[in-house]
Amino acid sequence: MQRRFLLRSRWTALVTLEHSEGERHFEVKQLDHDDAIVRSVLTQREYRVAIAALEDPAAWATGWLQLPRDPE
């Protein structure tokens, strides 16, 4: 994945992030070496995610996708 295209890109988390409140839609706000700072669209909370993790199709999808809710 080319880093120059990551900034301001939009992502959907296919698995719940640790310490999140169920946020699923994110935008890349900052790049830092091998990490990306992503901001939740819903809560504006920020998370540090490895750029390599964004390449995992089982965990992340590009764009904002509508997903079924997690079972409670």
Side-chain angles (χ1 to χ4, degrees):
M1 180 178 307
Q2 294 185 8
R3 292 174 54 94
R4 64 184 171 143
F5 295 114
L6 280 177
L7 196 58
R8 292 188 294 271
S9 62
R10 296 172 178 169
W11 295 82
T12 299
L14 302 177
V15 295
T16 304
L17 295 178
E18 186 175 345
H19 304 295
S20 74
E21 296 178 12
E23 298 112 329
R24 292 294 193 142
H25 299 110
F26 298 88
E27 185 173 7
V28 175
K29 289 300 190 181
Q30 183 179 343
L31 298 173
D32 182 29
H33 299 288
D34 295 330
D35 295 331
I37 305 299
V38 295
R39 180 180 295 162
S40 167
V41 176
L42 180 65
T43 64
Q44 302 300 306
R45 291 175 55 185
E46 293 184 349
Y47 300 90
R48 181 176 296 272
V49 176
I51 291 172
L54 293 175
E55 296 175 344
D56 180 3
W60 290 93
T62 57
W64 292 337
L65 306 177
Q66 184 173 356
L67 298 173
R69 291 180 173 252
D70 287 335
E72 295 180 16

